[in-house]
Amino acid sequence: MSKKNLRVSDLGEKKLIERIIETSKDFEFNNDKNLNSYIGDDAALIDFNNNLTNEKNYLVATTDLLIQKHHFPLQMSFFQMGWKAVTVNVSDIAAMGAKPVGILISLAIPPNLALESFDEIICGILKACNYYKIPLIGGDTNEDDEIIISGTALGKIEQSLAKKKFGFKFGDKIAITGQLGLAALGFELLKEENKKIIEKSIENKKISREIVNLSIGAALNPKARLNEGIILSKIASSATDITDGLASELYELFNANKNFNKNSNLGIRIYEDKIANEPLFKEIYNLSKILNKDIFDLIFHIGEDFELLFTFSNDNENSIIDELSKKLNFIIIGEINNYNRVEIEYSDGKVQKLSSKGYEHLSND
Amino acid sequence: MSKKNLRVSDLGEKKLIERIIETSKDFEFNNDKNLNSYIGDDAALIDFNNNLTNEKNYLVATTDLLIQKHHFPLQMSFFQMGWKAVTVNVSDIAAMGAKPVGILISLAIPPNLALESFDEIICGILKACNYYKIPLIGGDTNEDDEIIISGTALGKIEQSLAKKKFGFKFGDKIAITGQLGLAALGFELLKEENKKIIEKSIENKKISREIVNLSIGAALNPKARLNEGIILSKIASSATDITDGLASELYELFNANKNFNKNSNLGIRIYEDKIANEPLFKEIYNLSKILNKDIFDLIFHIGEDFELLFTFSNDNENSIIDELSKKLNFIIIGEINNYNRVEIEYSDGKVQKLSSKGYEHLSND
């Protein structure tokens, strides 16, 4: 296909972002010298210090746009839409280890939206702001055929503590803050065609109502791991939030490191067994079977869990793990090696390159 | 109509924003104590200082969402859409008198958009970033049926210099940084039905091609008054940018003052004659006649000029005016009185309350 006929869907979101970064290098005020973070990271880091003082903080800024037909399932209430818009943005602040400073929300709503529904969206936004202790500091309202909520969250962090997608070293452990796959299961459970089989399975005690509710809650009422991020800022060597599936995020770390150390051979190995170690795993495995889904496919390639993926130094393994365990729930799922790829060791001992397929907007694939 | 049946269009944008502010007071982390600015101001002011230091800056943050079918006329190029999205956000930074720190842009685009058109949007964004010397620091891309561009601009200003919508005193002069009405005329000129009459009027030398091009340029390639804002930060007693028509913005100043001083009798008087003093006025008056429009209606009630409206102290009138004149173009259009309303003195000497009608989204009116 000639370049002239290319559509944006021929490239997909990640290639489009790379294209923006490449183009920006031609423009004086948009080259790297102004940036303290790699543009593919969860949030931008801005030097906000007066050179005369010793204060060394970054202003952390991140933005995410949610569009009704793409991001809000039909079963999602107006309240939950508002909640989610705050959560996705706060999650990026959490991934940097930062403390929230404020959030701006731009809304577009249909003119014929019932005022009660509008109030419900606002309530969802404000309840989430309260939950994360992040004040709503500004915004904009507009008219459109569908609901659009664009958020920009701002945070603050000591420069030395900011958690980027790179920074890990050989031997570092890789961990996650909670059970993955719950939100993906939740989205499956919301589908009309699955309702009957689920009710029957609960009746027959094949699964518990609790795990069904937990999964639906993860899909409709996601929580950002803000406190976990702040704790990890003092311990982790890198971090990101898991929005597009674990595989995609592992490649984000791998590629971020490569971007800064072209000759680095650092690779990532994760273990199927360790992922299956989560206390809830057996239950969600059963649930996925009933829904005719591969639980690992959901964990690796479907996102929206908003758990944090992080690495930490293994120098003094046990004491760090003990210390961390007192402060937050996490499981170690792998480590940094020097095999220059992202790989998975299956339960049977076989090791393979992990497929990078994750959810990507604007892609034909 | 009962509350139950109310639609958002029954309230309109301003009442909806008031509703958000009212609701936010019920939520601990969203009440005024965290805010250094009135939430109806052009941008939020965030205290970003370490208490141990003497640095007293505000982080300034503002967001604006543009939707293709509402904000981008058919004749607007993809480049101009990108340019406009940066400009509307930078204009709010300018209105606070702040220096730009960075901008985040969230984009939604149709998957079948030609890659060349995507590149053109990005080029418009980056060219505008260069023009305003504001680095593009982050963003998000999504898929939608139409183009949506949401921007969040961040700035920085010494706390004592931040220009709010209130702060003016009795006797202060009211001024604007340039000719109003140009953009509104430009949008009229873009209409197919006006093409013939305009070409004929240029031929007959009733109007110049220059004023036609200037008007269309103001509509399609708006410029934010960033440098003017920075100059005014040291001189003005209040400022805002003129996005929704002069009348609407004058009421914004009037109401912002009331919000902080309930018992204040401060009012605003502007003079039709003085507005007609602008060097370009005669030409745009002629142009509006040809288009069968009332030029004052365009100036007062149609927006998108992105000029700044500001007040300054009259204590030492001539020396301040002389000083300002050396640094920027402006005309004085009125003054602050104590008649507790926004009024206009017409050319014939009659004084009337100014109609507050301005462009408002989401309104039935």
Side-chain angles (χ1 to χ4, degrees), chain B residues 158-170:
Chain B
E158 266 181 59
Q159 296 196 354
S160 61
L161 298 182
K163 286 294 144 293
K164 302 170 188 180
K165 287 186 179 175
F166 58 95
F168 48 82
K169 294 200 166 48
F170 177 82

Side-chain angles (χ1 to χ4, degrees), chain A residues 6-8 13 19 30 48 50 64-65 70 112-113 115 119 136 140-141 143-146 150 152, chain B residues 6-8 13 19 30 55 64-65 69-70 112-113 115 119 136 140-141 143-144 146 150 152:
Chain A
L6 280 178
R7 310 261 146 202
V8 293
E13 189 178 11
R19 203 172 170 90
N30 294 291
F48 207 79
N50 185 323
D64 251 316
L65 177 76
H70 300 293
N112 64 352
L113 184 76
L115 191 58
D119 288 346
L136 176 66
D140 182 29
T141 59
E143 172 177 331
D144 197 42
D145 308 333
E146 58 180 335
S150 174
T152 301
Chain B
L6 281 179
R7 308 264 148 201
V8 293
E13 189 178 12
R19 204 172 170 90
N30 293 290
E55 196 186 11
D64 251 317
L65 177 76
K69 68 164 137 334
H70 301 293
N112 65 352
L113 184 76
L115 192 58
D119 287 346
L136 176 66
D140 184 30
T141 59
E143 171 178 331
D144 198 40
E146 58 180 336
S150 173
T152 301

